[in-house]
Structures are given as structure tokens and as C-alpha cells.
Amino acid sequence: MTLTRPEDPVAVESRGARFVHRDGVEIAYYSHGDPAAQTIVCVHGWPDSHALWDRVVPLLADRFHVVTVDNRGAGSSTNPSSYTDFKLSEMAADYLAVADAVSPDRPVHILGHDWGSVAAWELVTDASSAARIASFTSVSGPSGDHVSKWVRRRLSRPTPRNLALALGQVASLMYMFGFSTPVVPQTLMRLTMTEGRWRRGLALAEGIDADAISLGPTFAADIRQELRVYRANFLPTVLRPQERTTDVPVQVIVGTRDPAVRQSCYEDEARWNRRTFRRVLNAGHWLPFSHPQTLARAAAELIDHVDGKAPSRELRRAEMRLHRDEFDDHLVVVSGAGSGIGRETALLFAARGAEVVASDIDLSAAKRTAKEIVKSGGTAHAYQLDVSDPAQVRVHVDAVLQAHGVPDIVVNNAGVGAAGDFLATPEEEFNRVLSVNLLGVVNSSRGFAAAMVERGQGGHIVNLSSMAAYSPGKGMSAYTTSKSAVFSFSDCLRAELAEHGIGVTTVCPGIVHTNIIATTSVSGVSPEEERELQQVGDRAYALRGYGPEKVAKQIVDAVRANRSILPVTPEARIQYHVNRLAPGLVRFAASKGSMTDMIKFVPRRFRDTVGESAR
């Protein structure tokens, strides 16, 4: 196919729009930003107009010349009389005419949605026009030819999985048969659909506020007139798919809840495109309404890469046909990463390919962890952070987002130990433990989870609780309260974030040898007794022989498997089940002694046989 184009596209400005004339049709477009900058042409599908991009344009216009287009039959553009005038080739030629008018000497970038994206595939896969396209970001609108060939290929190899995928995609597109009939769909839209009904229905389907939906003043006509695109293109594409390939860098973006387009239909894209990037968002179909920031960022990242910049982490992860290690191109944020479980978790994620942000109240300890990761060939960044200070946490979250992007995994590990009878525990000590162990987790989760939700690509949060969360006992009120609260908070957070594809794992270590015992504050005893209890406890935990590296491995495995609750060590698992089956027994045992009582029974000979090397 060769697209027809006017010899000299003429732009005429009227009513806030400019127009190009092609074969008796006027196509309206709207210009935003500096015309001397690189041009992004934004095209839409049914039943939208250029208003679809109202929330995306401001996010791009400060860097780019953004041009939004009214399809033929929509907005201020001409409404042809015949459905045959809505063929993809005609729409693609319209876009090419706009590109020639707004950027005659420089290739443009295309950002397309729905049928606008489907038509733009005609441009990027046509040899006569592909040179005019620098990059293509396709949103919720695959190439019809590619989908048709993908379905045929799956049906030709009828494994259970192939059949399920192919038939599932076919079922998702069945509505198009109805939309392809003459007169009936237009009549139904005229009789039943109003702007208010469409806005409310779309808001419900997409899970967004109705105010986020931008509809043009011509919506009532657009929703009927643009329906002809289905009749003009659906059956011909299904029955006679063409072989279409391109050298243009293509980025496809699809929502997991898209009722029409399934992410699986993009599995073969690398067969037809020299370079393909695929991003899957936890979202529906109208991503310009629900995730404008994500679309703007994704388009800009691809443009920057085409211009010669190194690809962003998210763009690298999105590239198809590349072999990757398990956590390659993932960003992992770990608090309390200077020692113990946090340090080992940071090291293990880095060994599996992740970039790591390691924070600790002791900056030198965080730097040591980061230095070890870099020495092993990884990428890491060290930060000082006191998680008990909400202001510091907010600053830290903003700094990470600004410098490194949205994390894929957040491990809220930082914590302190505390022991001593409740009545002997000062108010400030009790509050300190809650501030570190509980509110540090809460504030970090609030900041990073918000960014994960906005990005729409899922993620995972790991919150360090403890076996103490379900092991009430004397002398552990502050610590147990904080860890029990983390346990319950994580349950609530998991329920809220599930719809966004963000997992939450609650880690409950048992007796694990880290420096937390040696630094545990003990209320109600003399400084000498506190040091004695710390030393005995630390050496007793060392004798247990369960190091933080074993916990780290289980954390990484839990993230991979999206486990909800992770009791670590045999005693933690046994206690977890006993507490669920016989809580009365657990409460009875708790009344008979405390951990500090049990530590006192450790034979003194062990204090001398286990030296500093055990720490």
C-alpha cells in the first residue's frame, strides 16, 4: 500500500483549530508548545475527538510541539458521507497530511489511541511513509493485521493455552460485528446515549472520576458518525490480513482490564517490528483519561531514546525479544540496608539484576552495602534515612522518585528492638519504637505506593513484621505492639492495593541472628543488666545458626511468588499456626514468662564459647 498525500498541504486557522485539506476533506488539528521543538502528533479513536488528550498535552507541551488531531467525522473535521471514506488508509493519509503540514522537514512522533492507533500502524508499516515517523507509541490499539495473524497462528497450533488466548481475544472483539452493521448502531446511540451517560459509564468502567474524562462539544455527533470506522475496517482486516513490518521503534501500551484488547495479542509483535517495547498497565482501555502521566512519560522516554539517550530503566524492561535475569531493570528500595536482613536483601536483589536504593540511619553502613553491590558489578545508591521522622521519609521518597524513578519493590525493613515490662517502659521509649517499627513502614508505604499506583504497572511492598506479631508475651509490649500493628496494617494495605496489581508481603522472622538483639533497649533494668541481656541474647541467637542471608532468600522468593504472609524459621511457622488454631494456649504461655526471662536461662558457659566472630 502507498498512502496518497497532497502535493502541498495547506494549513488554515479557524475557530482555534487549523486545517489541512486532502481530497475534499478538512482535517482539524490543534497546536501546543513550541513549533520549533520535536513534534508529537496525537490521534484518537471512537468516540473521541482531540479532547481525548487534554490531560496528556500539558505534560508534554513544555518539551515538545504537541499536535492533537480530530479524525474525519469527529470534532471540527469534515464528516464524509460514506462509510468507505473511513478506511484505515484514508485516516492514515490524513495523519500524514497533518505531519507534513506541521513538521515538513523533520520526522514526527506518533501517539495514538484506539482506532487512531490502529490507523497509525498503516503509516509506520508503509515504506512510503515510515521515514516520516520517528517513533510510534500505540495505546490500546494494535495493528488489526497483526492481531488477525496472531489469532490464526494460535489456532493453527491448538494447544489449550493457544486456544484459550485466541478465542478469548476473539470473544473480546465480538461487539465489533454489531458495530459493523449499517444504521442500527447509529440509531441505538442516538436513542440511548448521552454525554452524561457515557461519562458515568466510562468512569465506572475505568475506575476514575468522571471529571477526568474529557469530551469535546461535538460528542453527541462524534459517537454516531465515527462508528463507521468499524464497518469500513473490521471484517476486511479479519478476512484479509496483510503482512506488515516496520523499522520504526514501536511502543505498545495496554491495560490489564481492557475489555477489547488483551495483552497477549501483542506476543508476536517482535516478529513484525525491528524494535518493540511493551508496557502493561493495571488499567482499562481509556488510558489517556486514567493514566495521563504514565503515557506522557512513556512517550517521552521512547523519544529520548530514539534521539540517542540511553534507555530508561522502564523502557529497557519493556523491550521485547531480550533475555533478562529475574530482576533485571527493576528498582528495589530497602530501608535499614546497612546491616542484617536489610543488607542481605539488598545484596541478593542486586545479585539477581536489580538496581538498589539502600538507606540506613547510619549513612556509612548504607554506603558499605552500596559499595559491595557496585564492586560485584551491580548498581546501587546509598541514602541516610531516619524512618522515625515523617519529614525525612517524605524527602527521601521524593528524592528517590526524582533521581531514580518509581520503585518496583520496596522493602520496609528498618526497625529497632525493645524489651522490658510495660509499666517500666517510659512513654518516650514506647513512642520511639512505634515511630520506627510502625510509622516508618506506614510513611514509606504511603509515599512509594502512591507513585506505584499512579504509574499503573504494579509493584511489590515488603513489610518486616516479626514472629512477635502473633506471640504476645511479658516484657515485649512495645515491640510486639509495633510488629502486630505492621502485620495488621499490611493486611489492610494488601486489600487496598490488590486492584492496582501491587502485592504486599508481611515477613515474620523468628530467631534470626542480626544486630537487633545486641542493640535492643531494655526498660526497667540497670545499664549493666541491659548490657548483660543484650550480650546473652545476641550469643544465644548466634547459636541458633539462622543468619539474615536465609531470610533474604525467602523474601526474594516471596516477592516472586507474591506471597502474603511469610513466617521465617521453623519456630515462626509453628507459632503462626498454633496461634491460629489455639490462641488461648498462646496467651496462657505468654503469661508464664517473657523472652528476657528465657534469655536469663542461657548457660553462662555459652557466653564465653561464642566470641565476637559469631556476631
Side-chain angles (χ1 to χ4, degrees), residues 225-512:
Q225 294 167 178
E226 290 185 80
L227 275 171
R228 287 172 290 177
V229 72
Y230 290 92
R231 187 180 177 193
N233 300 292
F234 177 58
L235 286 178
T237 302
V238 169
L239 298 176
R240 295 183 298 276
Q242 305 297 308
E243 189 68 25
R244 297 188 179 278
T245 62
T246 184
D247 289 334
V248 174
V250 175
Q251 175 174 223
V252 296
I253 304 179
V254 62
T256 56
R257 294 181 281 107
D258 192 318
V261 181
R262 301 195 174 200
Q263 58 180 300
S264 57
C265 77
Y266 291 106
E267 287 182 351
D268 290 350
E269 278 306 318
R271 295 169 59 89
W272 298 297
N273 314 324
R274 186 172 62 85
R275 292 193 73 187
T276 309
F277 305 85
R278 178 176 61 177
R279 303 196 196 208
V280 179
L281 307 188
N282 193 275
H285 181 78
W286 270 269
L287 300 175
F289 297 150
S290 64
H291 290 78
Q293 294 90 347
T294 301
L295 294 192
R297 184 174 60 248
E301 287 176 354
L302 179 59
I303 293 171
D304 288 342
H305 180 46
V306 168
D307 283 348
K309 293 184 180 180
S312 67
R313 183 191 312 103
E314 290 188 12
L315 192 63
R316 290 196 306 269
R317 195 165 76 235
E319 185 161 10
M320 301 179 71
R321 199 159 47 186
L322 293 183
H323 172 75
R324 296 179 180 82
D325 288 335
E326 187 174 19
F327 290 102
D328 271 0
D329 300 320
H330 284 65
L331 180 66
V332 179
V333 174
V334 185
S335 67
S339 62
I341 294 172
R343 171 182 170 82
E344 295 300 328
T345 301
L347 294 175
L348 186 54
F349 270 120
R352 302 283 179 90
E355 179 178 347
V356 174
V357 170
S359 69
D360 199 281
I361 195 170
D362 181 352
L363 179 58
S364 61
K367 287 183 175 180
R368 286 193 294 271
T369 299
K371 184 177 181 180
E372 185 169 342
I373 290 172
V374 173
K375 185 178 179 181
S376 300
T379 303
H381 318 277
Y383 286 82
Q384 193 277 333
L385 175 64
D386 179 357
V387 298
S388 70
D389 184 342
Q392 276 198 42
V393 174
R394 287 193 295 271
V395 170
H396 177 66
V397 169
D398 291 342
V400 171
L401 297 178
Q402 181 67 30
H404 312 294
V406 180
D408 302 287
I409 301 165
V410 175
V411 183
N412 292 313
N413 165 77
V416 294
D421 292 343
F422 169 67
L423 296 179
T425 303
E427 177 182 349
E428 58 272 18
E429 172 63 5
F430 204 104
N431 291 340
R432 180 185 76 92
V433 175
L434 292 179
S435 295
V436 176
N437 292 355
L438 171 61
L439 296 182
V441 171
V442 170
N443 293 325
S444 173
S445 296
R446 176 183 290 112
F448 286 123
M452 289 178 175
V453 168
E454 184 274 321
R455 180 182 63 172
Q457 292 180 258
H460 206 97
I461 296 175
V462 178
N463 292 333
L464 267 290
S465 180
S466 169
M467 171 183 166
Y470 44 82
S471 305
K474 295 169 58 179
M476 296 291 290
S477 59
Y479 184 78
T480 296
T481 297
S482 68
K483 293 301 185 179
S484 295
V486 169
F487 193 101
S488 294
F489 167 72
S490 300
D491 280 348
C492 296
L493 188 65
R494 184 180 306 111
E496 290 191 19
L497 297 182
E499 64 179 295
H500 302 288
I502 301 171
V504 177
T505 295
T506 311
V507 182
C508 302
I511 299 175
V512 178

Side-chain angles (χ1 to χ4, degrees), residues 13 17 40 43 54 112 146 213 259 345 348 459 485 491 533 581 607:
E13 188 167 2
I40 303 176
V43 294
D54 282 356
H146 291 177
I213 298 171
T345 301
L348 186 54
D491 280 348
L533 289 170
L581 296 173
R607 307 176 193 181

Side-chain angles (χ1 to χ4, degrees), residues 61-85:
D62 61 333
R63 287 190 56 198
F64 304 102
H65 177 215
V66 184
V67 175
T68 56
V69 179
D70 278 337
N71 284 349
R72 49 177 58 205
S76 297
S77 293
T78 299
N79 177 37
S81 59
S82 173
Y83 78 91
T84 59
D85 293 321

